[in-house]
Amino acid sequence: MEKGIPVWAERLRAARRDKLWTQREMAKQLADAADEYTRVRLPARDSLIRLIKGWEAGKHRPRDPYLMLYCRVFDMDEAGLFPSDPAGSAQSGQSAEAVPDEEEPAERRQAHGLSPLKQAVASDADNEMFDPLTLAWTVGRLDQRVDRRTLLQLAATVAASRALDPAERLLRALAGDHRPDNVTIDHLEDRTRGFHRLEEHFPARVLYPALMTHLGEVSALLENGPTEALRQRLAVIAGESAVLGAWFAWEMGDTRRAASISRLVSLAAEHGQDPAIAAVWAGYRTYMTGNDNAHSVRLAARALERLENASPATQAWLLARMAEEAALLGDRKTALAAIGQAEDVYADADINARPWTCFLDTARFASMRLAVYTRLRHEEKSVAALDDIMVHLGPEPEIKKLCVVKADMAIARVRLGDTTAGVAYARSALAATDAMASPLGWDRLDQVTEELRSSRTVAAREFRSEYAATRPRVAPPSLS
């Protein structure tokens, strides 16, 4: 228990976190429960969020109807959710400043050891006006990648004008006032594409609850009697969203939930008559084998068989994944053949054709080439891939992209003999990986530290110590 915080406040905070809800989502749950179980009208959402902050900080104890609503939402009795404080605990008037929570004021985060980048990510996600569902829809309507500055500008615009999101139309459809139509499904397709773009900017734990809400809305519309053509479109949306949901669950270490959602992926691919959905999930799974490189190569090969010649951008990504894993396995012939074919396919690919390939811009694809050529010690092509990254990465790239791209650049620089530059890139990758809690980033940084193991330079030694102090002790779970 946090020092000075009542037991019941700790319990409220822990119960919300167990559900993977933000405080905004908690407010929605309380409001929904009030609509269902009482005739009491709760205050506006932002006011309710402020109340939740105060309750979780132990400033004051909820009273009815909130006490009853909390018990309903968490399906617990009052004694279980609001236990009496043991002797010696602080009174419920304790200041919220004592709570080092994810909602902690930004100016205090540095004192708790958070890096500036991690502070920025946490601050953006904790903003009371942060609305992933609306932001995803807004971002998904753009036919271009979104850098960090653009994303923050969009988030501010969304917060200032909720009318941007045609939510009322979707709510009417879900309420059964009319069957889903093309406009409603266009909205969901845009939002799905937006979630895949937001994934590059925010940790899985931030987006996962909103993505599950999105999937729930798609499921409700499927039950609402759409025509066969619209049912197929909804099935594709469900599959494209479930792929990301399963990936998020794995990133958060929940293999049981990832496996459960993956069954939805397979079903959606079948009902949507879209084999690319199943193929791309096999591609995601190449990252989840616990460094069993041979198994990852087989998964990529099977995914390519399912895909056949559809979706060139997906095909290029799967070929590059096969090449990366084959290179780690030491299979030079397979790696070179796969990366060569990937380069040919990528030249004519549209990365915006499917939501999941929006990350594969020129810089990210160059980093995949770099990973292959560096591990095969092909110096000339490694240098060319490095140059491509430097030209196309841009001044404010997506944070998750930095986790992998900078780590691959670090390995390349170390192998090219420039340890100082390698360590600088590694530190950039470490800051991004820590901010995003990215298992893929930690895996790449493990490879970086292995490359630096034989170096006796001060920079290498200092980075190894810094990395050991930051790296989570638990390895990413295997989902083979």
Side-chain angles (χ1 to χ4, degrees):
M1 187 182 76
E2 296 288 349
K3 184 178 180 181
I5 302 301
V7 173
W8 56 262
E10 287 277 343
R11 189 67 55 84
L12 291 182
R13 187 154 50 110
R16 173 176 63 80
R17 286 173 163 180
D18 285 345
K19 293 285 189 180
L20 300 176
W21 292 339
T22 64
Q23 290 180 332
R24 177 167 290 279
E25 178 64 18
M26 185 71 246
K28 179 181 182 299
Q29 294 293 331
L30 291 174
D32 290 347
D35 290 342
E36 183 174 357
Y37 298 113
T38 76
R39 295 184 178 180
V40 176
R41 184 173 182 178
L42 300 190
R45 192 62 49 87
D46 292 340
S47 297
L48 188 52
I49 290 170
R50 284 192 289 273
L51 287 173
I52 292 169
K53 286 179 181 288
W55 293 329
E56 292 189 2
K59 281 186 171 182
H60 43 269
R61 183 184 176 108
R63 295 182 294 182
D64 279 334
Y66 300 108
L67 189 149
M68 181 273 288
L69 292 175
Y70 262 114
C71 292
R72 289 279 190 176
V73 166
F74 292 123
D75 193 23
M76 296 174 67
D77 60 26
E78 183 176 343
L81 193 55
F82 295 93
S84 299
D85 290 337
S89 65
Q91 298 302 312
S92 58
Q94 181 69 31
S95 170
E97 296 296 313
V99 185
D101 193 6
E102 71 267 21
E103 286 81 19
E104 181 179 31
E107 63 269 18
R108 292 179 59 85
R109 290 194 174 105
Q110 187 64 46
H112 287 100
L114 296 181
S115 68
L117 184 56
K118 194 169 185 177
Q119 289 179 58
V121 172
S123 177
D124 295 340
D126 292 345
N127 191 317
E128 291 182 1
M129 303 303 290
F130 177 67
D131 180 357
L133 286 167
T134 307
L135 186 58
W137 174 77
T138 306
V139 169
R141 298 175 70 220
L142 303 177
D143 190 22
Q144 62 185 44
R145 67 176 286 271
V146 180
D147 61 22
R148 183 162 181 77
R149 178 177 298 178
T150 302
L151 180 73
L152 296 179
Q153 291 171 342
L154 285 171
T157 302
V158 165
S161 179
R162 299 291 181 183
L164 284 173
D165 183 3
E168 289 301 320
R169 186 183 189 93
L170 183 57
L171 288 172
R172 287 198 302 273
L174 292 174
D177 294 343
H178 69 271
R179 291 186 177 186
D181 55 18
N182 283 304
V183 175
T184 302
I185 295 177
D186 286 346
H187 165 75
L188 291 171
E189 287 173 339
D190 288 337
R191 192 200 273 173
T192 301
R193 186 162 48 251
F195 270 115
H196 279 269
R197 287 177 174 164
L198 291 182
E199 187 251 351
E200 291 287 294
H201 294 277
F202 295 102
R205 65 171 180 82
V206 171
L207 297 176
Y208 180 82
L211 180 64
M212 290 299 100
T213 298
H214 170 69
L215 259 174
E217 292 174 353
V218 175
S219 299
L221 290 177
L222 279 166
E223 296 169 355
N224 213 25
T227 64
E228 186 56 35
L230 295 184
R231 175 175 291 275
Q232 184 173 339
R233 286 179 68 189
L234 283 167
V236 170
I237 293 169
E240 293 173 339
S241 303
V243 162
L244 190 57
W247 174 251
F248 281 166
W250 175 78
E251 285 196 311
M252 294 186 297
D254 193 339
T255 55
R256 181 192 59 79
R257 192 172 299 180
S260 175
I261 300 174
S262 73
R263 291 193 287 274
L264 172 58
V265 173
S266 301
L267 193 63
E270 178 183 348
H271 284 272
Q273 300 177 32
D274 190 349
I277 293 173
V280 81
W281 174 237
Y284 274 99
R285 287 173 56 206
T286 62
Y287 294 110
M288 305 177 184
T289 62
N291 294 319
D292 184 345
N293 306 119
H295 184 38
S296 294
V297 170
R298 291 192 296 271
L299 282 171
R302 287 203 294 269
L304 286 162
E305 289 174 4
R306 289 180 178 179
L307 191 65
E308 296 178 343
N309 293 321
S311 188
T314 306
Q315 186 180 10
W317 173 59
L318 290 170
L319 285 164
R321 280 297 298 138
M322 178 187 286
E324 285 184 322
E325 295 295 328
L328 287 168
L329 192 61
D331 185 348
R332 186 179 184 88
K333 180 179 179 181
T334 298
L336 286 175
I339 197 62
Q341 190 177 352
E343 289 171 333
D344 291 340
V345 174
Y346 184 79
D348 297 317
D350 176 9
I351 65 170
N352 292 312
R354 300 303 300 260
W356 53 66
T357 50
C358 60
F359 77 95
L360 196 63
D361 61 12
T362 304
R364 182 65 181 94
F365 185 67
S367 78
M368 300 185 82
R369 290 165 42 218
L370 179 64
V372 175
Y373 292 130
T374 297
R375 285 158 181 78
L376 296 179
R377 299 191 181 276
H378 198 312
E379 185 172 324
E380 182 179 348
K381 291 196 172 183
S382 294
V383 172
L386 271 170
D387 289 342
D388 280 348
I389 294 172
M390 297 298 292
V391 169
H392 296 286
L393 189 58
E396 294 192 41
E398 298 86 333
I399 298 174
K400 186 170 282 188
K401 190 170 293 177
L402 293 176
C403 300
V404 177
V405 173
K406 293 291 188 175
D408 286 336
M409 294 174 77
I411 294 172
R413 285 299 184 194
V414 171
R415 289 199 171 185
L416 290 170
D418 190 347
T419 301
T420 301
V423 168
Y425 287 135
R427 283 206 168 93
S428 180
L430 178 58
T433 298
D434 188 36
M436 297 295 286
S438 167
L440 183 54
W442 294 122
D443 179 71
R444 283 294 206 277
L445 284 165
D446 287 345
Q447 296 174 33
V448 173
T449 55
E450 190 62 31
E451 288 292 325
L452 291 170
R453 191 172 301 281
S454 60
S455 175
R456 298 184 180 278
T457 65
V458 173
R461 186 168 64 251
E462 287 179 346
F463 178 77
R464 288 197 303 268
S465 297
E466 180 182 340
Y467 183 64
T470 309
R471 174 72 158 92
R473 298 291 181 261
V474 180
S478 173
L479 186 68
S480 56

